[in-house]
Amino acid sequence: MATKLENLEEWRQSPPEAQPDPENTGHPIDGYRYFSQEFFHQEWEEMWTKVWILLGRESEIPEPGDYQMEEVGPESFIMVRQQDGSIKAFYNVCQHRAARLVFNDLDSVEAFICPYHGWRFELDGELTYARDAEDFPEGDPCGKMNLIEVPCETFAGFIWINMNEDCESLREYLGPVWDDWEAYGVDKWKRYQALTGEMPNNWKVIQDNFNESYHLPTVHPESDSTVEENYKYTQFDMFPEGHARMWMKSGVPSQLLDLKPGDELPEAMQMTLRAYGLDPEDFRDNPYGTREALQKAKRAYGESKGYDHYENLKDHQLTDTYHYTIFPSTAVSVWADGFHFLRSRPHPTDPTKCIFDNWWYASQPEGETAPVNTAAGQVPRDAEVDHEVFKYGEKSMGFAIDQDLAVTPGQQLGLRSRAFKGVYLSHQEWRIRRYHEVIDEYINGVRPGTKT
Ligand code: FES
């Protein structure tokens, strides 16, 4: 394989390495796993407590003492910036009698003071003050009953935690995803949308949806004008750790439109071309020649506007859509300048509900002043975005995501029906099967991809 240093042009044109399909067991995917309390409990104990979870954002806690609190299922975690600039993560639970220490999503403290009896935990989790410390028959709790720390790493500007103290490194866990994302420099990107809604469906219903593109022509019928949605031209990759990648060529009308020489390009395609100084009329005779022309135009545009990260991107990454599902519950669409983050978290107690996060990050080129295009519309580049939390239906999540979420509650109802005997999947939906098999592997005590 060509390297960037040996042959830049060849490297830029090299495609992402295709992965062979993993072996599937054909285990049925029935409705039980979407509503059963027993399965919900097994999944939590055997899977959720053993995987890396993308939970916070480094830029939210820039100074020592700044913390971010996030919940996953029945647990709550505090991620806090240390005096030396590193980040530690702790269960948000006092070791005296289990009170939650903090309830704000974001704040800054000198130390964590428990609201119940006033125990004081330093930023590194050490208990340094307990009133009447001499009165504890089992000994002074200070220095002993410290906060319980969990492994915590940072990557792509995000804070990841793992409840398994013997976990592998985050880099090992993410496998090829690490190198893919690193090229974009997402750690420097800024958030332009932060919407969180409680959904009336199991968290896996959301992830299943983002693990297939079979639904695109029906759920998103308007969206095939600048993306190649024909599955025959799409590359689907599944990785041993349970993650998946879908590569859709973009900046080109879909073959599903069956355009012929002389046909007018779809309006969205014309707008994309004009945005990079290209004339749609020049593609009358070759309507599927837009992608290569856009790649050249974007590289030139990027150089003139300070899009420094383009240096590390291959040509296809300048135009194409990459969609990742990071096991267990984060789905991400990545473009050259946009990172659409979609995460479902289990509800604390109810398997038929979940918490859904719909966030958007965009690159920060120095010379760019144009607004940012997010899933929910255009946003001024200097905008500060508040995190909004609401229940399903109270607020729009953006046009395309609203379309997805219009389907999932009804599917949850169907999954509970006696008439539903299990999914019947096309090959282009195979990532769903693999995903559920990885969950089963965890439940059966097998490390995914190893059979041990
Ligand atoms: Fe925290 Fe008592 S529960 S000090």
Side-chain angles (χ1 to χ4, degrees):
M1 186 189 303
T3 69
K4 187 178 173 184
L5 291 177
E6 279 172 356
N7 187 332
L8 183 61
E9 282 313 306
E10 197 181 330
W11 176 83
R12 281 179 170 171
Q13 289 165 26
S14 56
E17 192 177 349
Q19 305 289 312
D21 274 7
E23 194 182 325
N24 290 122
T25 63
H27 184 84
I29 303 172
D30 54 21
Y32 178 79
R33 53 203 296 131
Y34 296 88
F35 62 80
S36 149
Q37 277 288 354
E38 185 188 8
F39 192 84
F40 189 61
H41 177 73
Q42 278 186 316
E43 196 178 64
W44 177 261
E45 293 297 330
E46 306 301 334
M47 187 276 285
W48 279 100
T49 58
K50 295 178 173 56
V51 292
W52 280 101
I53 302 170
L54 191 165
L55 202 59
R57 183 74 176 168
E58 284 187 88
S59 59
E60 300 279 359
I61 51 172
E63 301 297 331
D66 293 352
Y67 73 80
Q68 181 174 2
M69 183 276 290
E70 293 288 343
E71 292 172 351
V72 185
E75 295 290 1
S76 170
F77 297 94
I78 305 170
M79 296 158 278
V80 58
R81 183 76 67 179
Q82 303 293 297
Q83 295 295 352
D84 65 1
S86 65
I87 296 172
K88 287 183 183 288
F90 304 98
Y91 288 95
N92 181 13
V93 57
C94 178
Q95 294 302 297
H96 177 216
R97 280 174 49 207
R100 282 257 164 116
L101 293 170
V102 299
F103 290 88
N104 292 342
D105 292 351
L106 289 173
D107 210 338
S108 190
V109 291
E110 273 186 25
F112 295 101
I113 312 294
C114 179
Y116 200 174
H117 309 94
W119 282 20
R120 173 187 170 108
F121 300 90
E122 303 303 323
L123 300 182
D124 64 0
E126 184 181 0
L127 177 68
T128 55
Y129 171 77
R131 185 160 44 80
D132 305 335
E134 72 286 353
D135 188 40
F136 287 81
E138 293 170 276
D140 183 343
C142 290
K144 178 174 160 190
M145 302 304 289
N146 303 325
L147 293 183
I148 304 298
E149 187 173 353
V150 291
C152 170
E153 291 195 36
T154 58
F155 172 62
F158 295 104
I159 306 166
W160 308 64
I161 66 110
N162 196 320
M163 286 177 260
N164 176 10
E165 59 189 26
D166 298 320
C167 59
E168 73 262 65
S169 72
L170 178 61
R171 181 160 199 155
E172 281 177 276
Y173 182 75
L174 289 179
V177 177
W178 182 286
D179 290 332
D180 284 6
W181 286 15
E182 202 166 41
Y184 294 86
V186 179
D187 55 314
K188 300 179 192 71
W189 293 15
K190 183 177 154 188
R191 192 173 72 185
Y192 286 93
Q193 177 183 295
L195 305 171
T196 295
E198 183 181 298
M199 289 297 300
N201 51 252
N202 183 273
W203 67 274
K204 295 187 293 299
V205 174
I206 302 258
Q207 286 306 303
D208 289 351
N209 179 69
F210 294 132
N211 252 327
E212 55 93 349
S213 54
Y214 186 50
H215 71 277
L216 297 186
T218 43
V219 174
H220 312 289
E222 71 297 323
S223 67
D224 60 349
S225 51
T226 62
V227 179
E228 178 49 85
E229 290 189 342
N230 188 332
Y231 77 92
K232 293 174 184 164
Y233 299 89
T234 302
Q235 181 173 309
F236 304 102
D237 295 311
M238 289 170 271
F239 302 112
E241 299 81 4
H243 319 309
R245 176 178 66 195
M246 176 176 71
W247 173 33
M248 300 173 91
K249 296 181 178 67
S250 307
V252 65
S254 173
Q255 298 280 348
L256 295 172
L257 296 176
D258 197 22
L259 295 179
K260 302 281 186 300
D263 286 350
E264 190 173 61
L265 289 170
E267 183 56 31
M269 192 67 248
Q270 292 192 35
M271 284 172 59
T272 302
L273 292 168
R274 288 194 195 98
Y276 291 96
L278 297 170
D279 184 352
E281 287 302 311
D282 291 345
F283 298 91
R284 276 275 186 183
D285 294 334
N286 181 19
Y288 293 107
T290 53
R291 179 168 166 264
E292 202 174 319
L294 270 170
Q295 289 169 355
K296 288 194 175 76
K298 285 194 80 169
R299 220 174 258 296
Y301 180 86
E303 279 172 16
S304 71
K305 291 279 191 178
Y307 286 68
D308 295 341
H309 65 289
Y310 284 8
E311 278 279 302
N312 299 319
L313 298 184
K314 297 181 177 181
D315 289 347
H316 51 83
Q317 290 174 310
L318 292 176
T319 48
D320 296 352
T321 305
Y322 282 85
H323 184 76
Y324 295 85
T325 34
I326 306 300
F327 192 87
S329 73
T330 303
V332 169
S333 290
V334 188
W335 298 270
D337 298 294
F339 186 91
H340 192 185
F341 170 103
L342 303 151
R343 177 179 60 184
S344 59
R345 291 181 269 178
H347 187 273
T349 57
D350 188 344
T352 66
K353 293 180 182 169
C354 72
I355 313 301
F356 175 61
D357 300 305
N358 174 16
W359 298 354
W360 188 281
Y361 294 84
S363 63
Q364 297 298 305
E366 267 186 25
E368 186 60 277
T369 54
V372 174
N373 290 309
T374 75
Q378 284 200 332
V379 181
R381 194 157 281 275
D382 58 357
E384 293 293 330
V385 179
D386 290 332
H387 182 200
E388 297 179 65
V389 182
F390 46 90
K391 286 202 169 7
Y392 173 64
E394 290 178 349
K395 185 177 166 58
S396 171
M397 282 271 188
F399 184 68
I401 299 300
D402 284 348
Q403 290 174 318
D404 289 306
L405 300 185
V407 174
T408 54
Q411 188 186 4
Q412 178 70 41
L413 297 175
L415 289 163
R416 188 69 179 86
S417 170
R418 296 176 68 244
F420 178 67
K421 306 298 184 196
V423 300
Y424 188 77
L425 298 173
S426 61
H427 184 258
Q428 62 189 287
E429 299 169 287
W430 224 234
R431 287 170 293 159
I432 295 175
R433 177 167 297 293
R434 172 65 188 153
Y435 219 72
H436 284 262
E437 290 188 356
V438 171
I439 293 171
D440 289 344
E441 285 176 355
Y442 274 105
I443 288 174
N444 293 326
V446 176
R447 186 169 177 272
T450 66
K451 298 195 185 307
T452 57

